Amino acid sequence: MKTARRLARRVSRAETRLFLAEGPQAVREALTVPGCVREIFAVAAAAEQHRDIRAAAARQQVAWQLVDDAALASLAETVQPQGLVAVCRFLDVPAPDVIGSGPLLAVCADVRDPGNAGTVIRCADAAGAAGVLLTGSSVDPYNGKTVRATVGSLFHLPIALARDTAEVVAQLQMAGVQVLAADGGGELDLDDAADDGTLAAPTAWLFGNEAWGLPAELAALADHRVRIPVHGRAESLNLATAAAVCLYASARAQRRPRHVGRMAGASGPVGD
C-alpha cells in the first residue's frame, strides 16, 4: 500500500514505470492488456459486484488484495471511490512505433490539461486512430485525471511521448503521413478538405495547447493549417471538441468508398 500510494506523484511513477488505474472500467480494460496489471486493491463490496474482474485477474495470476474503505480511499483521487484500484505498468511505446502504425494519428503538442489530454486519447480511440503522440511539455498520460478521462482508451491504442514536436512532424512527413494542424486561422476549411479528398490521405492531426493553440512556427511545419467552420456565434471550440470533429472527419473520409455515386449515376431499364 505504501508503495502504491507513492504512485500519486509523477516522480515515483517515472522511477518505477508504474501508475494507478482507478475504477472498474479502467481496471477491466487494463486486464485486456497482457502483463499490464501488477496488483489490484479492492474493497469487499467491489469484489462481490465485479466478479468478472476478479476472475480475469485470477486467470492472469494478478495479486488481488482486499482492503478496507479507508485504505482504498488513500489510493483513490476521486471523492467517491468505486472500490477498485489497479497498479499497472507503463504502456507508452517509442514514437516511431506510433508514426508507422496506421493512417490516422493524433499529436498533442504542449497539451497541459489532464482532462483534455485524456479526452483526446478517448476521441482518437473512438475514431479508430492508430495511436496518439504527446509531445513537448504535454501532461503525463499516467496522471490520475488523465487516466480517468480516457475511460479505458489508454489501454486500447499505442501512446508515445516525445520532447521535440518539430522532429515528430518531420518524421511523420518522411513516413508519407500528411500533417494537418488544427488552427482557427487556418487557410483550409475542414469541409473543403473533406470534399477535395485531402482528408482521405494518411493523416496526423496536430493539436496545440488549450490556452494559446499552436505556435506559428510549429503550425507552419504542417502540410496544411485547417480551420473548423463555425456557423453560429461561438467564438471557438475547445480542444477536446475540436479534436473529435477533426478526427471523425478524417475517419469518415478514409472509410468512405472511393467511388461514391457510381451507382447513382448508373442508367438502365426500369420495369417493363
Side-chain angles (χ1 to χ4, degrees), residues 75-113:
L75 292 177
E77 294 183 355
T78 53
V79 176
Q80 296 182 318
Q82 295 178 280
L84 289 171
V85 175
V87 177
C88 304
R89 66 171 174 81
F90 276 16
L91 297 163
D92 51 280
V93 300
D97 289 1
V98 174
I99 288 169
S101 62
L104 181 58
L105 302 169
V107 182
C108 294
D110 300 317
V111 173
R112 306 284 183 85
D113 183 84

Side-chain angles (χ1 to χ4, degrees), residues 21 27-28 30-31 37-43 53-54 56-58 62-67 72 75 83-88:
V27 176
R28 184 178 288 109
L31 284 166
V37 181
R38 299 296 179 84
E39 189 171 21
I40 297 173
F41 297 94
V43 298
I53 296 177
R54 187 163 190 175
V62 173
W64 183 281
Q65 308 288 353
L66 283 176
V67 297
L72 190 98
L75 292 177
L84 289 171
V85 175
V87 177
C88 304

Side-chain angles (χ1 to χ4, degrees), residues 112-201:
R112 306 284 183 85
D113 183 84
N116 276 333
T119 303
V120 172
I121 292 171
R122 184 183 182 186
C123 290
D125 182 21
V132 176
L133 296 106
L134 299 174
T135 66
S137 57
S138 289
V139 67
D140 176 15
Y142 305 112
N143 174 295
K145 187 174 181 180
T146 306
V147 175
R148 291 192 299 278
T150 70
V151 197
S153 289
L154 179 66
F155 305 102
H156 295 168
L157 73 174
I159 307 294
L161 312 178
R163 291 299 303 174
D164 192 331
T165 306
E167 182 178 342
V168 167
V169 170
Q171 290 173 347
L172 286 161
Q173 292 167 331
M174 287 179 62
V177 179
Q178 70 174 348
V179 177
L180 301 182
D183 185 341
E187 76 282 355
L188 182 61
D189 183 282
L190 181 66
D191 289 343
D192 293 338
D195 292 341
D196 67 16
T198 298
L199 297 188

Side-chain angles (χ1 to χ4, degrees), residues 1-13 75:
M1 286 291 295
K2 289 176 66 176
T3 301
R5 287 191 192 103
R6 294 192 189 104
L7 299 179
R9 297 181 299 168
R10 183 169 189 170
V11 64
S12 294
R13 294 194 295 270
L75 292 177

